[in-house]
Amino acid sequence: MYGNSMRQWVRGAGVVVIAMLGATPAFATSTGISGNSGKDTQTCNTCHNGGTAPTVEIEGPSTLEKGATGQYTFIIRGGAAMTGGVGIAVDNTEASLQAGTGMKKLGAELSHSAPQAFTGTELRFNFSLVAPATDVTLNLFGAGNSANADQKSSGDRAAATKLSIKVGNGTPVVEDPGPDDGDDSGGCTAASSAPVWALALAGLPLTVRRRRRS
Ligand code: HEC
C-alpha cells in the first residue's frame, strides 16, 4: 500500500545520507583544529608524523596592562616548510584571543583557516590577546606544524612553545601562606592544615582593602 512504499522511500533516503556522511574524511583538519596547542599536552604530532620538527616561537609582550590588547606573532621556522598551520590557546578563561590573517577562532582557541604557505623557511601567524581585567599571570600556548603540502598528515611535524604573560601585577597576589607553605595549593583553606577560622580572619582585611580599591 501507499503507506508501506512511503516508509521504504524514507528508509532508502536515510541510507543515502549516512553514506554521504561516511564519505567525508574522519579527520579533515587542514582547515583548523582545536585542542592541540600543547596546553593539554597534546599537539599536532598526535597525527602528523614523518617530517622534521621546526622551531617555533611566540613573539610579543610578556607584560600587559589589565584589559589591554597585545599583538602576538607565532613563528614557525624550518621543517618541511611548504605549508603550515597553528593551534593557539590560553589558560585563562577571562582572556580572549583574536584571529589574524589566515587564522580562525575555534571555541576559545585559534587555528589556521587553511594551510598557509611558508615565505622561505618561515611562516608567521599574527593574532591578538585581550588581557583579563584582573591581576594575573597567564600562559599562552602554541603548536605550529611544518608541512610538506601533500594534503596528508605524513611528512609533517609540529613543535610547541608557551609564553608567560604578566597582566597588571600578575599572580600570585600571594596571601602570605605562613609556616604552612609546603602546600602549593596557595591559600586554599580546605586543603590547608591551618584552622579555617584563622585563615578566614587573615583573609578579612585583604578582602576589605581590595573592595575599597575598586
Ligand atoms: C586528529 C589528527 C590530526 C591532528 C591532531 C592534527 N591534524 Fe592536521 N591533518 C590531519 C590529516 C588527516 C590531514 C590530511 C587531511 C586534511 O587535509 O585534512 C591534516 C592536514 C593538515 C595540514 C596540511 C598538510 C599537508 O602536508 O598538506 C596542515 C597544515 C595541518 N593539518 C595542520 C595541523 C596543525 C597546525 C595541527 C595542530 C594544531 C594539526 N594539523 C593537528 C590530521 C590531524
Side-chain angles (χ1 to χ4, degrees):
M1 226 189 80
Y2 172 83
N4 251 341
S5 64
M6 186 66 185
R7 222 172 291 138
Q8 246 157 358
W9 185 87
V10 168
R11 207 182 299 145
V15 170
V16 171
V17 168
I18 286 163
M20 280 166 70
L21 284 177
T24 47
F27 298 112
T29 72
S30 56
T31 52
I33 187 165
S34 61
N36 287 274
S37 66
K39 178 165 90 73
D40 305 308
T41 66
Q42 190 163 313
T43 73
C44 321
N45 292 338
T46 308
C47 302
H48 288 269
N49 59 77
T52 316
T55 56
V56 295
E57 183 191 345
I58 300 173
E59 224 175 60
S62 55
T63 58
L64 285 176
E65 294 298 321
K66 290 186 266 187
T69 302
Q71 305 298 329
Y72 293 86
T73 306
F74 187 93
I75 311 165
I76 309 174
R77 294 186 180 96
M82 295 303 293
T83 58
V86 73
I88 306 275
V90 59
D91 66 357
N92 184 298
T93 54
E94 306 290 306
S96 88
L97 294 166
Q98 294 173 342
T101 309
M103 301 178 85
K104 67 177 180 187
K105 196 147 183 175
L106 279 177
E109 303 190 5
L110 300 179
S111 190
H112 54 284
S113 52
Q116 301 294 305
F118 271 67
T119 305
T121 58
E122 195 175 278
L123 174 57
R124 291 172 166 255
F125 288 95
N126 297 313
F127 62 97
S128 48
L129 179 142
V130 184
T134 46
D135 293 311
V136 68
T137 301
L138 52 81
N139 292 297
L140 189 56
F141 296 84
N145 191 10
S146 183
N148 62 357
D150 66 354
Q151 326 238 315
K152 296 194 180 80
S153 55
S154 56
D156 317 325
R157 199 75 187 160
T161 187
K162 75 168 186 178
L163 177 70
S164 254
I165 302 167
K166 186 173 147 190
V167 177
N169 295 323
T171 37
V173 182
V174 183
E175 275 132 65
D176 181 21
D180 183 36
D181 60 4
D183 177 5
D184 64 5
S185 63
C188 170
T189 49
S192 168
S193 59
V196 170
W197 63 264
L199 282 162
L201 281 181
L204 209 57
L206 273 175
T207 318
V208 171
R209 224 177 298 147
R210 230 186 266 141
R211 279 223 193 93
R212 236 177 251 152
R213 223 187 296 145
S214 57

